[in-house]
Amino acid sequence: MRSQLVERWLSHQDRSHPAAIDPGGGTFSYRDVVRASLGLSHVLRDGRGSLEGARVAVLVSPGASFIASVMGVVLAGGTGVVLTPLYPERERRYFCEDAKVGTLVVSDDMHALAEPHAEGRRVVAASLAHERDVVDDLPPSDADTPALQLYTSGTTGRPKGAMLTHGNLATQQAAVGAAWGFSERDVLLHTLPLHHMHGLAIALFTALGAGATTRFLPFEAASVWSAMAECNVFMGVPSMYQRLVAAFDGADDTTKVRWTKNARGLRLATSGSAALPTTLGESFRRVSGAYPLERFGMTEIGVGLTNPLVGERRPGTVGAPLDTVETRIVDEDGNDAPVGELLVRGPSVFAGYFERPEETRRAFFPSPAGERAWFRTGDTVTRDDNGAGPFRILGRTSVDILKSGGYKLSALEIEEVLREHPALLDAAVVGIPDEAWGDRVVACVLLREGHAAPSAEEVRAFCKERLAPYKVPKDVHVREALPRNPLGKVVKPALVRELLAGEP
Ligand code: MCA
Ligand code: AMP
């Protein structure tokens, strides 16, 4: 038996239609990429029937070879853990250790980065040259077979591995593809990082499910405006739209005319991962002719809510649930309420956090036995039109979860790293509203007695060696004290107010 995810991928086996256009311009057909994924799956299994869910890290540059690598792992019955070169070694080591990665698939240009993680692990070269046609010996798979483990930050320090199954991904592939009208005629302009749900599953897997073409490009505003000429779908986070609009406003008139023409050729531009400011959405509409289609998603559920492809896209809202998604809004006691936490359930909801039963239990709302459990999003929402209209995201239930440029981060994880600095006694990290990043990560630190204050740059350099770049505080304020409640806990909303009032 083969899962829907696998069957859909194999259905492209004989197609000469382009699956991927690499950043360098090389074009690869579905036939090329499916054959390479079958070849890699064979190499990975190395005589075994199935990898039986074993985690395989993928450190491969964006492009056809990346698709073949991830799908090769999935076909082999493994669980893909995508690593990014953007992070420092310490973060990659954490993912490899936490996920108990036994094998790494590595592209030629990433060998130096993979080196520190290679000891005791098998390293397999990512290559389109592992060609193979045989499908009969593929291991069995069904909806519950694990496919991907994506790391996401939570309120308990280090990131957790969210386990996504074949069923989760196949459900969302079909539901998002249908909702957004995907077909093989589409050319997706792909500039998102591939180690997160947005770039990997919402963008790439949706395009692959529909047999569309994915054009990979590193995000840079001017090249994105230019590449729109050959693409008809774009998916981005608000920070990307902010940069696109800023580049447009700064361009000369001839360039503006060209970029406007390119943008008007898009049949769809979506925004997600963080709130899209309505002024930004309107600015993009001014150029492209259409307000971006804003939708809401999470690593644990994929896309949950979306504005319609056709019909009213109400600025500031994230639309309605996909057909495969059920929702509730509940107050703190778990009663249905007009404003409260969004709960979600359905076949796209993940299978739990890897080896974290307690955190998995807490992520779901208690449900009667035998009922599919409701996942707690941690987002406070309401619905327009007296509860019948589109959803609005009002904020997070936890002050310790921030979103910077579409990346989720835990203030607590950054505080722990700051406390490792020899001169720092304590730290409080908060998000300050910011046009470019959504939340601007700001650290307020207390000094250890007898230590001179380190400069902000020194603290940032210390963090950069230990944390992904987006977690590194943009500002560091040395303070005498932090606002605390009678139990000694830092009152973060008060700290944010002080910072906004200019009291460093
Ligand atoms: C880069 N920097 C950042 C961020 N990105 N700082 C804060 N937040 C960020 N997101 C740092 C760089 O390290 C650098 O620091 C400085 O900012 C300028 O970097 P620059 O080269 O200009 O940035 P970039 O590399 O072009 O990145 C900007 C970006 C990127 C393209 C907007 O952040 C990005 O790809 N964001 C997408 C995140 C995403 O895919 N999230 C989806 C999660 P320095 O100057 O110190 O060196 S999944 C999700 O949320 C759910 C499922 C959903 O609904 O989608
Ligand atoms: P992640 O854990 O990185 O998948 O981030 C998921 C979180 O991103 C959600 O819980 C929301 O807080 C936020 N998010 C995603 N899409 C939107 C949106 N359109 N508007 C506001 N917040 C969003």
Side-chain angles (χ1 to χ4, degrees):
M1 178 177 174
R2 288 199 289 251
S3 72
Q4 243 186 354
L5 186 73
V6 170
E7 286 296 351
R8 212 172 274 149
W9 177 239
L10 295 179
S11 72
H12 300 314
Q13 196 179 4
D14 298 320
R15 292 181 63 222
S16 57
H17 194 67
I21 305 172
D22 280 6
T27 300
F28 300 88
S29 70
Y30 270 95
R31 188 189 302 121
D32 295 336
V33 188
V34 173
R35 279 170 64 94
S37 68
L38 284 165
L40 181 72
S41 138
H42 189 67
V43 173
L44 286 170
R45 280 177 288 146
D46 194 23
R48 279 172 292 168
S50 165
L51 297 187
E52 290 175 358
R55 274 76 48 214
V56 176
V58 175
L59 186 55
V60 178
S61 304
S65 180
F66 176 87
I67 301 174
S69 300
V70 168
M71 291 313 297
V73 172
V74 169
L75 293 179
T79 306
V81 180
V82 178
L83 300 179
T84 169
L86 300 172
Y87 292 1
E89 187 186 313
R90 178 168 132 149
E91 291 261 26
R92 275 192 300 275
R93 176 170 311 120
Y94 170 75
F95 297 135
C96 287
E97 284 172 5
D98 186 81
K100 302 195 166 131
V101 163
T103 303
L104 294 146
V105 179
V106 181
S107 55
D108 281 350
D109 54 337
M110 301 278 176
H111 271 293
L113 288 180
E115 178 76 41
H117 313 294
E119 202 185 312
R121 298 192 172 97
R122 183 173 170 220
V123 178
V124 173
S127 165
L128 292 168
H130 300 293
E131 290 176 55
R132 195 173 152 88
D133 279 322
V134 182
V135 300
D136 295 343
D137 62 350
L138 288 175
S141 50
D142 61 22
D144 295 329
T145 306
L148 295 175
Q149 189 160 309
L150 298 179
Y151 277 80
T152 181
S153 290
T155 44
T156 47
R158 308 290 322 251
K160 306 168 281 194
M163 299 183 291
L164 278 310
T165 64
H166 285 229
N168 296 151
L169 296 167
T171 300
Q172 116 135 328
Q173 202 173 44
V176 173
W180 296 350
F182 261 82
S183 79
E184 63 175 41
R185 290 183 301 281
D186 286 321
V187 182
L188 167 70
L189 177 51
H190 194 302
T191 66
L192 287 156
L194 286 161
H195 59 295
H196 279 292
M197 171 59 84
H198 194 168
L200 184 54
I202 299 171
L204 180 58
F205 276 37
T206 300
L208 296 177
T213 302
T214 301
R215 160 105 200 250
F216 293 96
L217 198 71
F219 185 84
E220 192 279 312
S223 35
V224 169
W225 281 119
S226 297
M228 283 178 192
E230 295 115 44
C231 301
N232 66 346
V233 179
F234 174 73
M235 296 187 196
V237 298
S239 294
M240 292 177 173
Y241 284 98
Q242 196 262 344
R243 287 178 184 204
L244 287 172
V245 167
F248 185 89
D249 289 342
D252 60 50
D253 287 346
T254 322
T255 307
K256 278 184 177 161
V257 170
R258 190 161 45 84
W259 287 357
T260 301
K261 184 164 169 280
N262 294 353
R264 287 182 187 251
L266 293 179
R267 74 160 185 87
L268 172 67
T270 70
S271 176
S273 303
L276 178 72
T278 52
T279 46
L280 182 54
E282 292 297 352
S283 299
F284 189 74
R285 189 210 302 262
R286 191 168 32 91
V287 181
S288 71
Y291 195 88
L293 181 154
E294 186 170 8
R295 56 46 174 201
F296 164 91
M298 276 188 92
T299 301
E300 292 89 339
I301 66 166
V303 171
L305 312 168
T306 180
N307 269 287
L309 181 64
V310 180
E312 187 198 9
R313 294 181 193 170
R314 197 177 295 179
T317 72
V318 291
L322 285 172
D323 287 346
T324 47
V325 172
E326 285 179 82
T327 58
R328 278 179 71 194
I329 303 175
V330 296
D331 62 20
E332 282 174 7
D333 300 321
N335 300 316
D336 290 293
V339 180
E341 183 176 3
L342 173 67
L343 306 185
V344 167
R345 73 176 179 188
S348 60
V349 175
F350 79 137
Y353 300 112
F354 180 68
E355 293 190 343
R356 283 183 167 84
E358 185 48 30
E359 287 176 52
T360 301
R361 195 185 58 73
R362 272 190 277 121
F364 288 89
F365 204 76
S367 303
E371 241 187 54
R372 203 197 273 263
W374 291 94
F375 173 70
R376 308 182 62 150
T377 60
D379 289 289
T380 305
V381 304
T382 188
R383 290 185 81 160
D384 278 15
D385 309 334
N386 291 322
F391 283 73
R392 255 174 217 278
I393 312 291
L394 304 176
R396 302 274 321 168
T397 54
S398 165
V399 283
D400 290 318
I401 296 291
L402 310 178
K403 268 269 161 159
S404 175
Y407 285 117
K408 189 195 256 187
L409 40 90
S410 156
L412 306 180
E413 183 186 8
I414 304 167
E415 289 163 7
E416 268 169 35
V417 166
L418 288 166
R419 287 190 206 104
E420 287 175 23
H421 190 289
L424 303 183
L425 176 69
D426 202 359
V429 169
V430 291
I432 299 293
D434 184 271
E435 205 183 305
W437 299 115
D439 284 321
R440 181 178 179 87
V441 178
V442 175
C444 293
V445 297
L446 304 182
L447 290 182
R448 258 181 213 291
E449 222 177 280
H451 282 269
S455 69
E457 262 329 294
E458 189 191 328
V459 175
R460 279 170 43 77
F462 181 84
C463 291
K464 255 188 200 173
E465 278 177 25
R466 293 163 174 81
L467 292 167
Y470 66 89
K471 298 176 189 169
V472 175
K474 301 275 182 224
D475 307 312
V476 181
H477 301 294
V478 177
R479 295 178 53 123
E480 297 282 313
L482 297 165
R484 294 185 192 265
N485 68 14
L487 298 173
K489 194 171 183 293
V490 176
V491 184
K492 294 207 172 166
L495 185 56
V496 170
R497 277 195 300 277
E498 287 177 16
L499 289 166
L500 287 174
E503 299 168 28

